Amino acid sequence: MPELAKAYEPQQVEDRLYKKWQDSGLFRANPKSSKKPYSIVMPPPNITGKLTLGHVLNNTIQDILARKARMEGKEVLWLPGTDHAGLATQTAVEKHIRATEKKTRHDFTRDEFVERIWKWKEEFGGIITQQLRKIGCSCDWSRERFTLDQDYARAVQEVFVKLHQEGLIYRGTRMVNWCPGSLTAISDEEVIPTKQKGFLYYVKYELVPLSGGPDYLLSGSPKATGGDPMTSTLEVTAAALGGAFISTDAPLGASDLGLENFLVVATTRPETIMADVALAVKPGGKWAHLIGRKVIRPLHRTEIPIIADEAVEEGFGTGVLKVTPAHDKTDYEIGKRHKLEFRDILTPNGKINDPDEHDAAELHGTDRFDARKRSAELLSERGLLLKEEPYENTVGFSERANVPIEPRLSEQWFMKYPNIPEALALLRDGHVKFHPAHWTKTYEHWLGNIQDWCISRQVWWGHRIPVWYRIVWTDDKKVYGEERLCQIESPGEGWTQDPDSLDTWFSSWLWAYETMRTEDGTRQKFYPTSALVTGPDIIFLWVARMLIAGLHFKPNGDKSESGGPGYLLPGSSRFSGTTGSDQPSEISNAKTLEANLAFKDVYFTGLIRDKQGRKLSKSLGNSPDPLDLIAKYGADGLRFGLVRIAPQGADIRFDEKQIEEGRNFCNKLWNICRFRTMQGPVDPNAEPFKHKRSIFADELLDRLHYLLEGDRNALTALDQFNFSEGASQLYDFVWNEFASRYVEAAKSDFAQADSATREGTLATFDYVLSHVLRLLHPFAPFVTEELWCELGFRPNSLQLALWPTKSPRSKMWSPRAREIYSTADTGRQLRGEVKLPSNQKVPFFLVAKGDPLTDDQKAVLAAFLNASEIQVLAVPPTNPGPKTFTQLGDLYLPSTGLVDPAVEKDRLTKDLAKVEKDLDQTRKKLGDANMLAKAPPAKIEEWRKLEVSLAEKEKSLRESLGKLG
């Protein structure tokens, strides 16, 4: 067998192997197969997207699941696709046109602009899927879907019509996230919380006097304190106003009233004062005595009431809230509760819209941020601005337009969610599992507090809403009439279609099953899907909605005898929407439920951050290009390095050094195999248990057994979606057990042509290699496939090989090999502590305990220690040098010429301190009656043996220190 190349060169391997896999059809799913199905639908990346580390992590985990399932003998469908990403794509194309042609979309008709987007999509929309191939994604690319494919688009419109007919879709006016830059409603996912530095303005609202004289009802006034003048001081009022310094000679403007005649409100948005319809205070709070009174709105002056509402936070500002129901989500809810006026003073593009004749009319038509500044000036000029102070708060920015969004009342299309009780029960009853499980609470909280879904967007690119309005003429103008029809096809002449498009997520929520609508039985074979890999940030936007879609639309049909619409028996408690019951759910037809679940397992990836804990972003310069990392470290290095540092349910602190470690691991694996080819042909069917073996071969086989079948084994880790744990166990096995120990120990056998255990060593090598390559293939597909084929293993692709499930222990196993490895580790540590160069050969003395070492075993130990010789003694040397304690006995270095006595004394002193501490802790445990009563007998015996061992070490260390003087 020819030797492998000296180094693994991924650039020479990856493209060639990927083409081989695709050409051979290894990724293609066969719906006619009799194999058990396993399916994943790829979360569709936006067509505007380019590969990020988040994509790499998410799709690597999907690939691990898909490749492992193929090796387990399942028929695998990993279905890829892309999302049309309505607003994101429209914004990207308009930006491109603006830069290249100095035009906007409004220079085109809608059809012309949409056609331009299609052309852009054909040129640039496939970049992300080509990049996913670079990391080895084993998708069935023949089934790639797009959310605006003709059939898919038709299905989306059919769903809209169906839900509209069911009364679940309606048009109404509600509070939405509004982007003044893009002029559309946007989803919560498209709102980026951003820290902003601004000001907190303390504004004085004049109290409307009660009949009968001046008002002194603020906290601290005589009436508010029961008439006690001793406590009705200015300082009390100032404290009640949140600690503001109040000057007695502050300008009061035309009203010429004292501060006691005002209620002070802190706000970050004085430009919305003209939309105030009330002030709110906490019921029973410090301002409760003012409930029912009125104040004068400072801009566009008019009287507004003081109301009580639990939503008020007394810890913010002065504890008084200005209520603008048309411009704030909290205020919107307060406005609904109290049936307040909804006064809208902003245009869609963020300009003040208050054209009436009033005292702040000059603000009409100004931009909202200019109006903020001018509003503060007007208030100050009138003596109504008590103070302004620097303030940092979080403001929602539109992801696409990069401008602050506006909570805005807008007429939109909304959808009421169906099947909420059933959706809540899915996780509670174990039909669907989240990994990690704690995300279940987030899911339940959202469903338990669900709001109707705003499904319309004011964009041109996307699924146009299938609603038609009869055109009527008013004053020689075409306008929408009140008559409308909800249907896919045009009703004919005299009708026009709703200009809005559907929220991108309205098409994505059908992704799990609508992508499988084919004539070949794909959906019947592969739906429900087996697993979904996604981020926790879209639990609401996508995960929950897909589950609801499966429950409601039943894509695989109703399996109940009655064919009825529900899953629950009449009277089921789940109709109330309650959760937490330990009783099993009352499913009327389990087959219907099982046939229509969107997926059975959901794995949530963590967020990738930099070493400082910051989110990766281009603006911070901390977001590396995955393609650059692939060029530098190889796709396998990137995949393995990233998964290994991605614990389940936790964010990831990215460090390029860990990707380098992934590359180094692939090189280590390559070098192990190269070393093997230097010893002769590999036996693809090696059976080490048929040969005489060394203790080191038995030790490696034992470690392999525990890797596959131990209490914390790699297979269980993968089955439980603990990919990082599985990768770490494989790393430790290959790097430490196989490369650092077994390969070095095997050299002794390979150096002796007549060794009795040589054949067993080779067979063990090949047997373990076969398992290792198969176990690592889902993580690092390229290097493992190349090695598998180069070494002559069968079948001719690792993807067709069987997934390892178990490996027996050797009946001849003994702990001697592990004792030798441990002794070597301790001896090397001793060399380091006394500062002996690792490449300097020195003799060692071993005062052995237990069975004597054979010559072969001494040779292996000497190789590990880089010892010129190892002398085994019955008693300590007469003039001992530095010493350490090992599982084989006390290990000594020579006493002269090698070690500085001062260095050795310092080392022994530190060792003694540690041993004394450990011994003291152990004796405390043994002396604690309560602890002994609770501890298992085996643990108590372990402590007793440890006490004896530590006492012996303490005595020996004291003796060694005594000899140094």
Side-chain angles (χ1 to χ4, degrees):
M1 172 178 285
E3 292 181 17
L4 292 173
K6 288 187 177 180
Y8 173 56
E9 300 292 344
Q11 292 77 13
Q12 299 176 15
V13 169
E14 292 170 356
D15 289 344
R16 169 172 55 82
L17 285 182
Y18 199 84
K19 185 176 185 302
K20 166 193 161 184
W21 289 331
Q22 282 202 277
D23 291 347
S24 61
L26 289 173
F27 302 160
R28 291 198 175 189
N30 178 11
K32 305 301 182 186
S33 169
S34 60
K35 296 178 181 178
K36 183 179 179 181
Y38 189 91
S39 57
I40 307 171
V41 290
M42 175 187 290
N46 293 351
I47 56 172
T48 58
K50 292 185 178 179
L51 196 68
T52 65
L53 285 177
H55 289 126
V56 173
L57 176 62
N58 182 290
N59 285 277
T60 293
I61 289 172
Q62 291 179 76
D63 199 36
I64 289 171
L65 292 170
R67 290 178 182 271
K68 175 175 174 284
R70 286 192 194 96
M71 297 174 73
E72 290 173 328
K74 297 171 184 175
E75 189 64 34
V76 174
L77 170 60
W78 181 11
L79 196 150
T82 49
D83 195 298
H84 68 280
L87 179 58
T89 303
Q90 178 170 298
T91 302
V93 174
E94 190 168 11
K95 182 179 179 182
H96 175 74
I97 291 174
R98 188 181 294 114
T100 57
E101 303 177 35
K102 310 301 181 187
K103 295 181 179 179
T104 73
R105 73 179 185 276
H106 300 293
D107 294 309
F108 304 85
T109 66
R110 180 174 185 149
D111 289 343
E112 288 172 342
F113 186 71
V114 168
E115 181 60 29
R116 293 293 294 269
I117 297 179
W118 275 109
K119 290 180 179 178
W120 182 93
K121 186 259 181 188
E122 294 307 313
E123 185 175 357
F124 301 107
I127 290 176
I128 183 70
T129 55
Q130 291 301 319
Q131 292 174 331
L132 289 172
R133 290 168 167 87
K134 292 292 292 182
I135 63 172
C137 291
S138 60
C139 307
D140 185 347
W141 294 106
S142 69
R143 296 175 179 271
E144 183 177 352
R145 298 302 304 271
F146 178 49
T147 51
L148 277 178
D149 285 342
Q150 186 175 356
D151 291 345
Y152 196 96
R154 177 87 182 186
V156 171
Q157 292 190 316
E158 289 172 351
V159 162
F160 183 99
V161 173
K162 174 179 170 61
L163 292 171
H164 186 271
Q165 292 170 346
E166 294 174 0
L168 294 173
I169 285 180
Y170 64 93
R171 189 157 178 83
T173 300
R174 291 186 54 184
M175 182 72 70
V176 298
N177 298 316
W178 182 262
C179 174
S182 303
L183 299 180
T184 181
I186 59 176
S187 67
D188 289 342
E189 190 245 358
E190 296 166 302
V191 178
I192 309 301
T194 306
K195 291 286 187 182
Q196 291 289 290
K197 291 183 178 179
F199 292 93
L200 195 59
Y201 302 88
Y202 287 78
V203 182
K204 296 157 65 178
Y205 286 66
E206 182 182 343
L207 276 163
V208 175
L210 291 171
S211 57
D215 250 359
Y216 295 100
L217 282 180
L218 293 182
S219 177
S221 70
K223 291 184 181 179
T225 56
D228 183 356
M230 298 302 294
T231 59
S232 58
T233 64
L234 188 61
E235 288 73 20
V236 174
T237 305
L241 292 174
F245 174 76
I246 302 169
S247 172
T248 54
D249 60 353
L252 299 178
S255 60
D256 198 28
L257 297 172
L259 184 65
E260 65 272 13
N261 295 95
F262 293 91
L263 194 55
V264 178
V265 179
T267 179
T268 60
R269 303 196 62 188
E271 73 276 13
T272 63
I273 285 175
M274 292 180 291
D276 291 353
V277 295
L279 296 185
V281 299
K282 194 82 168 179
K286 59 186 176 182
W287 303 111
H289 59 281
L290 294 177
I291 296 168
R293 296 291 306 281
K294 290 184 178 181
V295 295
I296 297 175
R297 189 170 62 205
L299 297 176
H300 195 154
R301 292 168 62 85
T302 190
E303 292 184 6
I304 58 175
I306 299 173
I307 62 174
D309 198 279
E310 290 290 352
V312 176
E313 297 180 10
E314 286 205 314
F316 174 78
T318 64
V320 183
L321 178 70
K322 59 188 286 295
V323 183
T324 58
H327 298 291
D328 182 272
K329 290 185 176 180
T330 299
D331 295 3
Y332 173 74
E333 297 299 330
I334 293 175
K336 287 198 301 182
R337 284 194 289 271
H338 296 269
K339 296 180 173 56
L340 299 175
E341 175 191 1
F342 286 75
R343 179 172 163 75
D344 186 354
I345 60 150
L346 287 176
T347 64
N349 62 349
K351 295 183 183 299
I352 299 298
N353 181 30
D354 195 8
D356 299 337
E357 290 293 330
H358 56 84
D359 56 279
E362 67 176 88
L363 298 176
H364 176 67
T366 59
D367 178 79
R368 52 187 170 152
F369 299 113
D370 294 335
R372 179 175 302 174
K373 182 179 179 181
R374 183 56 185 149
S375 295
E377 291 171 350
L378 287 174
L379 291 167
S380 180
E381 290 168 5
R382 299 169 185 179
L384 298 176
L385 182 64
L386 184 66
K387 68 171 182 174
E388 60 181 74
E389 58 186 19
Y391 184 72
E392 183 177 81
N393 64 338
T394 299
V395 176
F397 270 63
S398 168
E399 181 181 21
R400 305 304 169 192
N402 195 33
V403 297
I405 63 111
E406 284 291 340
R408 185 168 187 264
L409 282 176
S410 178
E411 188 178 14
Q412 301 284 343
W413 288 98
F414 294 91
M415 191 192 97
K416 300 174 184 177
Y417 287 94
N419 301 85
I420 297 304
E422 294 96 328
L424 277 165
L426 288 179
L427 275 79
R428 188 190 68 205
D429 297 343
H431 299 292
V432 177
K433 294 181 180 178
F434 281 1
H435 309 273
H438 66 75
W439 288 115
T440 301
K441 292 182 179 179
T442 304
Y443 171 90
E444 290 176 344
H445 175 76
W446 183 70
L447 286 180
N449 298 275
I450 201 162
Q451 302 291 319
D452 290 355
W453 177 7
C454 176
I455 59 174
S456 49
R457 298 291 182 267
Q458 290 63 55
V459 298
W460 289 354
W461 172 248
H463 300 272
R464 194 162 177 180
I465 288 177
V467 171
W468 303 83
Y469 300 87
R470 185 179 289 281
I471 299 172
V472 297
W473 290 87
T474 302
D475 298 328
D476 295 328
K477 293 181 180 179
K478 285 183 180 180
V479 297
Y480 292 173
E482 293 185 5
E483 185 180 1
R484 68 187 181 202
L485 296 173
C486 181
Q487 60 187 57
I488 295 174
E489 307 299 338
S490 170
E493 188 176 351
W495 294 81
T496 188
Q497 190 172 1
D498 194 303
D500 289 353
S501 294
L502 287 162
D503 177 15
T504 295
W505 296 103
F506 192 85
S507 58
S508 299
W509 77 317
L510 311 179
W511 188 252
Y513 70 85
E514 198 54 52
T515 50
M516 298 186 190
R517 184 191 284 198
T518 60
E519 299 293 331
D520 61 1
T522 296
R523 185 186 292 174
Q524 289 72 25
K525 176 73 174 179
F526 293 107
Y527 186 87
T529 65
S530 305
L532 177 72
V533 180
T534 188
D537 54 324
I538 55 175
I539 288 178
F540 331 123
L541 294 165
W542 197 42
V543 177
R545 288 169 177 168
M546 281 197 289
L547 288 170
I548 291 170
L551 290 168
H552 190 71
F553 300 115
K554 300 177 187 172
N556 268 343
D558 195 323
K559 308 299 181 182
S560 65
E561 295 179 5
S562 64
Y567 295 94
L568 308 178
L569 289 173
S572 168
S573 61
R574 283 197 287 142
F575 276 113
S576 66
T578 58
T579 60
S581 170
D582 294 329
Q583 299 301 316
S585 298
E586 299 169 285
I587 306 296
S588 66
N589 195 312
K591 289 183 179 179
T592 299
L593 182 70
E594 293 299 327
N596 292 293
L597 292 174
F599 28 74
K600 299 169 185 174
D601 288 284
V602 185
Y603 178 83
F604 295 106
T605 58
L607 187 67
I608 302 178
R609 301 181 180 274
D610 66 10
K611 289 185 286 186
Q612 300 175 45
R614 301 175 301 176
K615 290 178 66 174
L616 300 186
S617 71
K618 291 181 181 178
S619 61
L620 290 175
N622 64 351
S623 181
D625 186 336
L627 296 181
D628 292 340
L629 295 174
I630 289 173
K632 191 173 181 181
Y633 302 111
D636 290 332
L638 175 59
R639 288 168 58 119
F640 192 83
L642 195 56
V643 171
R644 187 165 162 253
I645 61 170
Q648 187 188 84
D651 286 353
I652 299 127
R653 293 294 180 98
F654 177 79
D655 185 345
E656 190 172 324
K657 182 179 179 181
Q658 291 150 337
I659 308 305
E660 182 180 0
E661 287 181 4
R663 188 271 315 273
N664 294 344
F665 177 75
C666 293
N667 288 341
K668 178 70 72 172
L669 181 64
W670 184 270
N671 290 335
I672 290 172
C673 295
R674 183 170 183 269
F675 174 76
R676 173 60 188 85
T677 62
M678 296 168 65
Q679 316 308 320
V682 169
D683 179 4
N685 303 307
E687 298 183 68
F689 298 102
K690 292 184 176 180
H691 299 274
K692 181 178 176 61
R693 301 174 306 281
S694 69
I695 60 171
F696 305 105
D698 280 344
E699 174 63 22
L700 185 65
L701 292 170
D702 193 66
R703 292 296 95 199
L704 178 63
H705 167 78
Y706 280 103
L707 180 69
L708 298 175
E709 302 181 58
D711 291 339
R712 291 180 64 251
N713 64 73
L715 300 187
T716 299
L718 295 183
D719 289 341
Q720 295 177 348
F721 294 83
N722 285 317
F723 302 103
S724 174
E725 172 68 18
S728 295
Q729 289 194 36
L730 290 169
Y731 181 96
D732 290 341
F733 179 84
V734 172
W735 194 285
N736 297 321
E737 301 296 343
F738 203 171
S740 298
R741 291 176 172 173
Y742 183 70
V743 170
E744 294 303 315
K747 290 177 181 178
S748 176
D749 259 342
F750 295 156
Q752 306 171 54
D754 59 347
S755 168
T757 56
R758 177 184 173 86
E759 291 304 315
T761 297
L762 287 170
T764 300
F765 214 123
D766 298 345
Y767 176 84
V768 174
L769 260 184
S770 170
H771 283 72
V772 163
L773 293 176
R774 284 181 282 160
L775 289 166
L776 282 173
H777 180 68
F779 295 91
F782 293 109
V783 67
T784 53
E785 177 85 351
E786 182 74 354
L787 288 170
W788 181 268
C789 297
E790 286 292 317
L791 296 177
F793 287 108
R794 293 290 180 268
N796 61 2
S797 174
L798 249 177
Q799 290 185 83
L800 302 174
L802 292 178
W803 181 249
T805 57
K806 58 184 179 180
S807 180
R809 296 189 71 185
S810 168
K811 295 179 180 179
M812 304 300 293
W813 178 85
S814 77
R816 176 46 58 95
R818 186 143 295 270
E819 292 170 353
I820 291 173
Y821 292 151
S822 175
T823 297
D825 292 341
T826 306
R828 285 194 291 251
Q829 183 179 351
L830 176 63
R831 290 183 65 126
E833 289 175 353
V834 299
K835 303 187 182 334
L836 279 177
S838 60
N839 61 354
Q840 180 181 350
K841 285 191 176 292
V842 294
F844 278 85
F845 306 98
L846 177 66
V847 180
K849 59 182 179 181
D851 296 335
L853 293 172
T854 66
D855 290 342
D856 289 344
Q857 293 167 4
K858 279 197 294 183
V860 170
L861 180 59
F864 277 118
L865 290 171
N866 195 24
S868 56
E869 65 171 328
I870 292 181
Q871 292 186 30
V872 179
L873 308 175
V875 296
T878 54
N879 188 20
K883 164 189 170 183
T884 190
F885 307 97
T886 78
Q887 292 186 12
L888 292 176
D890 295 343
L891 189 66
Y892 296 83
L893 283 167
S895 60
T896 58
L898 293 176
V899 180
D900 183 338
V903 171
E904 174 62 1
K905 185 173 183 179
D906 182 62
R907 183 186 73 85
L908 291 173
T909 301
K910 291 178 180 177
D911 285 353
L912 179 60
K914 183 178 184 308
V915 168
E916 287 175 336
K917 180 180 177 181
D918 292 345
L919 181 59
D920 180 62
Q921 290 177 343
T922 303
R923 285 174 171 165
K924 284 181 178 178
K925 291 177 184 177
L926 290 170
D928 187 329
N930 290 331
M931 186 172 286
L932 291 176
K934 296 176 182 178
K939 177 60 68 175
I940 297 173
E941 183 61 25
E942 180 185 322
W943 292 339
R944 285 173 178 158
K945 288 181 178 179
L946 181 60
E947 181 190 23
V948 172
S949 173
L950 290 171
E952 291 176 354
K953 288 182 180 180
E954 180 189 37
K955 178 181 177 183
S956 178
L957 286 167
R958 291 188 183 281
E959 291 174 353
S960 297
L961 276 169
K963 292 177 182 178
L964 287 174

